[in-house]
Amino acid sequence: MGLYRDDAVVLRTHKLGEADRIIVLLTEGHGKVRAVAKGVRKTKSRFGGRLEPGSNIRLLLYEGREHPLSGDGGGGRLDTITQAETIESYRTIHDDLGRLADAMALLEAVDQVAQERESDARLYRMLQGALRTLAERRAPLLVAGFYWKLLALEGMAPQLDACIRCQTPIEETQPVGLDLAEGGVVCRACRLAAGGGGRLLPAGPDAVDLIRRILGGDLVGALAEPPGPATSQVADLATVALEAHLERRLRSVRMLPH
């Protein structure tokens, strides 16, 4: 056991005893880490408000042993936070209910995807970048764009360049749905041939084009899109696709104000 330093984003917190909190972190170098912040709930805590969900912090931690209360009803290693320095507090997020709801949706998704003690610097940088963007502005597709990027990072990006069933290029046909079981878009001809395609999620050409832009390198352009039927469809599809991958419902995203 020993000391180590790392940068992290706080994913969530919960109480431990009368004065402490368990802080669940996505770190840059150590993956998801659970750590205790001793005395953080006291008025004169040396940590102040630096360990709130969504905060980007630089930490000094002491490696701990297996602890029966380190998880949500389970065990695991529980480190101890000895120092915390703010990198970004994102006050504009915490001061706006809409942005805060978006941030909670991002944090919950990452909490479900991140692996304990498995370094994933790319995931950390993705979350850090999303929070920075959210602090600047609230874009209609910010959460959805992050979800699609997260699915791609997990190797679960859908096939969007051609119909998943007949392989006709999208430029030569019209996409009408997304089949999560098959992993891609379905054209109108294949849906009609299948007698309606009950497993299909509605995905029109404009929505498919937006998802292709998000996954194809034009995330900035997609985030500039104004609210409309296509952005709404992309957001709904992103939530359903990520929940299908996680095999659980996302609570935070269903509380997003519009």
Side-chain angles (χ1 to χ4, degrees), residues 68 87 92 98 108 124 131 157 201 212:
I87 298 174
T92 55
E108 183 185 5
Y124 170 80
L131 290 171
L201 301 171
R212 292 175 73 189

Side-chain angles (χ1 to χ4, degrees), residues 17 19 33 105-106 125 151 201 203-204 209 223 236-237 248 253:
V33 170
L106 300 175
R125 289 192 295 270
L151 284 164
L201 301 171
D209 181 63
L223 292 183
D236 290 342
L237 288 169
R248 69 180 298 277
V253 75

Side-chain angles (χ1 to χ4, degrees), residues 12-27:
R12 57 186 167 88
T13 73
H14 51 97
K15 297 178 182 178
L16 178 64
E18 295 183 358
D20 304 338
R21 280 191 183 278
I22 290 176
I23 314 295
V24 182
L25 305 155
L26 177 69
T27 68

Side-chain angles (χ1 to χ4, degrees), residues 3 40 57 63 70 75 82 89 114-115 129 135 145 156 209 231:
L3 290 167
V40 74
I57 50 180
E63 294 179 352
S70 63
T82 60
S89 61
Q115 299 298 307
M156 297 299 295
D209 181 63
T231 59

Side-chain angles (χ1 to χ4, degrees), residues 180-201:
L180 294 180
E182 294 188 36
V185 293
V186 174
C187 69
R188 183 178 300 278
C190 286
R191 188 181 79 167
L192 293 174
R199 295 180 301 170
L200 287 184
L201 301 171

